[in-house]
Amino acid sequence: MSDKKPVLLSGIQPSGHLCIGNYLGALKNWEALQESYDSIFLVVDMHALTIKQNPAELRQRCLSYVAQYIACGLDPEKSHIFVQSHVIGHAELAWVLSCLTPLGELQRMTQFKDKVAKLGFKVNEREDGQEGDEVKFTHSGARAQASVNSGLLSYPVLMAADILLYNADLVPVGEDQRQHLELCRDLAQRFNQVYSETFKIPSAFVSKTGARVMSLAEPTRKMSKSDKNQNATIFIHDEPDRIRKKIASAVTDSGNEIKANPDKPGVTNLLSILAALTGTEIPEIEEKFSDRGYGEFKEVVTEATIEALRPVREKYLSLTEDKSYLLSALKDGTSVAQKRAYRILSKVYRKIGFVERPR
Ligand code: TYM
């Protein structure tokens, strides 16, 4: 691994189990890019705290995520893999950046608004009933403010810190993270303007297919690893039979044409999954199925999914037996990351005027 390569960085929250959305939107690209970059992959446990966690489960899940990363093709010999909370500097840099972040910018984040809405609160309603920029917690305001922790709001600043702490050039993510990446770029530019050139301005890498895999049960919603409806999500460790059942029960649309179209979110979703799994263009698949029905199409999607996930599942199961290998991979990743994080954090502290630590 050469330090001269451009830096690639990404991470996933250890909530639930990795799903095919994470695989196609993120991990598949990480694997493909890891060799050409100086690659850094985090299990972002500090982000997971924005949702209530069971401590024993969170601890167990973090190591399981390392196994899942490696099972999806990340190679600890080629990439640095570590757990975010093991490296000191993420929260510290986030604090510095948060002092450069106007509250309004955070309140405008789509994910924040979605998460608050999921907690059952109406947000952003202006008097004229249109969406506004500010989160106003209309109705049950007191209860809303008590349930929405401030981490949920400041979370994108922590994500910016994760990226800038290693001066990443490229951040491969799914479509839903694009807005957070924009904020990160703005914060890097703002810091550079105020305190002189310090951070590189990172670019997002969002793949053409697979960047927004939708729920199998409600294809107008994003597939999520923490969906309560287990049939809505294909997990990377799902057994072939489960995958068969989930795709068989996936919502399709009226009519029987296999065509990507905004009126046909179910079929469009299955088409994009198949395209991303096989590296085929959607029009080519549409052409192939022009005289065939949903049944046959679903069978092909099912087989492609099973075959793509089979090696991932097998590797994951064998890695969970090898805790010492996982820990040694983490140890290497953490020690490299900590040195680099200290280097950037010290530079930041110097620039903002903090006194040098006595040696
Ligand atoms: P998270 O944990 O929600 O998702 C991890 C990655 O998976 C992608 N993804 C999807 N892609 C396609 N279809 C879907 N249905 C789908 N669901 C999720 C996400 O876009 C993401 O790339 N804030 C981040 C984690 C993070 C991070 C970072 C990422 C923290 N620090 C620094 C990059 C760099 C998040 O919550 O991702």
Side-chain angles (χ1 to χ4, degrees):
M1 252 175 303
S2 150
D3 274 349
K4 297 217 173 65
K5 289 178 183 174
V7 177
L8 177 137
L9 180 143
S10 203
I12 303 186
Q13 276 193 66
S15 52
H17 211 286
L18 285 181
C19 72
I20 198 168
N22 306 121
Y23 178 69
L24 296 176
L27 276 146
K28 201 163 179 276
N29 300 321
W30 301 2
E31 182 200 8
L33 295 166
Q34 68 181 331
E35 216 155 332
S36 324
Y37 287 81
D38 173 15
S39 301
I40 300 176
F41 299 114
L42 299 79
V43 177
V44 290
D45 55 349
M46 292 163 77
H47 286 264
L49 283 188
T50 52
I51 300 160
K52 192 165 185 288
Q53 299 286 340
N54 171 318
E57 282 174 15
L58 178 62
R59 190 169 301 123
Q60 190 269 336
R61 216 183 296 125
C62 275
L63 207 57
S64 153
Y65 262 57
V66 178
Q68 292 175 66
Y69 278 13
I70 299 174
C72 286
L74 300 193
D75 180 351
E77 300 283 323
K78 295 179 185 155
S79 302
H80 308 296
I81 302 173
F82 62 94
V83 176
Q84 181 189 28
S85 66
H86 288 175
V87 173
I88 295 164
H90 291 255
E92 285 78 357
L93 182 59
W95 176 251
V96 174
L97 296 175
S98 72
C99 295
L100 290 172
T101 314
L103 200 51
E105 284 184 24
L106 297 176
Q107 291 180 329
R108 270 196 287 280
M109 292 286 135
T110 309
Q111 270 213 347
F112 173 66
K113 293 197 265 180
D114 286 351
K115 284 180 181 171
V116 171
K118 258 198 209 148
L119 290 170
F121 305 108
K122 245 185 172 174
V123 289
N124 286 350
E125 201 167 85
R126 292 194 320 220
E127 270 163 23
D128 58 7
Q130 297 295 307
E131 243 206 17
D133 275 346
E134 222 179 306
V135 175
K136 276 217 190 95
F137 299 118
T138 42
H139 310 294
S140 48
R143 193 159 72 89
Q145 282 171 31
S147 329
V148 178
N149 68 67
S150 67
L152 218 46
L153 181 69
S154 52
Y155 161 109
V157 182
L158 181 58
M159 175 165 163
D162 298 338
I163 298 167
L164 301 181
L165 197 55
Y166 303 93
N167 249 332
D169 296 274
L170 194 68
V171 184
V173 283
E175 191 61 55
D176 62 334
Q177 297 298 320
R178 230 187 239 282
Q179 196 183 29
H180 292 162
L181 240 296
E182 277 309 311
L183 177 79
C184 174
R185 289 164 58 87
D186 289 349
L187 287 175
Q189 267 155 355
R190 203 166 296 152
F191 187 98
N192 289 350
Q193 264 162 18
V194 177
Y195 297 108
S196 82
E197 204 62 26
T198 307
F199 295 122
K200 287 191 201 160
I201 312 302
S203 303
F205 176 96
V206 180
S207 59
K208 223 175 99 201
T209 48
R212 192 166 174 80
V213 176
M214 309 307 275
S215 152
L216 297 182
E218 274 179 76
T220 47
R221 275 200 308 119
K222 193 187 71 165
M223 182 183 284
S224 160
K225 54 178 148 41
S226 41
D227 199 318
K228 289 204 175 71
N229 176 359
Q230 298 269 306
N231 282 329
T233 305
I234 297 175
F235 297 101
I236 61 160
H237 68 304
D238 271 347
E239 287 163 6
D241 263 356
R242 295 208 74 175
I243 297 177
R244 263 186 210 107
K245 282 194 191 117
K246 287 180 181 181
I247 297 183
S249 66
V251 168
T252 40
D253 318 281
S254 53
N256 49 11
E257 227 190 346
I258 316 290
K259 260 216 157 324
N261 189 313
D263 307 342
K264 293 164 91 55
V267 171
T268 305
N269 189 32
L270 294 179
L271 274 166
S272 354
I273 292 177
L274 186 58
L277 283 173
T278 56
T280 319
E281 298 283 330
I282 289 181
E284 205 181 309
I285 307 177
E286 289 172 336
E287 171 70 36
K288 202 168 147 199
F289 284 92
S290 58
D291 53 0
R292 299 203 248 168
Y294 280 165
E296 242 181 297
F297 172 59
K298 275 190 166 182
E299 253 169 56
V300 172
V301 178
T302 304
E303 287 319 307
T305 309
I306 290 175
E307 286 322 310
L309 295 183
R310 190 188 300 282
V312 173
R313 178 170 179 276
E314 284 168 1
K315 189 150 189 204
Y316 168 66
L317 291 177
S318 83
L319 281 168
T320 50
E321 307 282 304
D322 199 350
K323 196 171 167 190
S324 65
Y325 169 70
L326 298 176
L327 290 175
S328 89
L330 273 185
K331 195 171 169 200
D332 292 349
T334 313
S335 95
V336 172
Q338 185 63 81
K339 281 193 201 104
R340 292 166 67 164
Y342 269 144
R343 211 181 307 140
I344 304 264
L345 190 66
S346 310
K347 193 172 174 186
V348 167
Y349 277 3
R350 205 170 49 246
K351 295 221 178 183
I352 61 179
F354 284 178
V355 73
E356 203 183 330
R357 184 198 281 200
R359 288 167 205 260

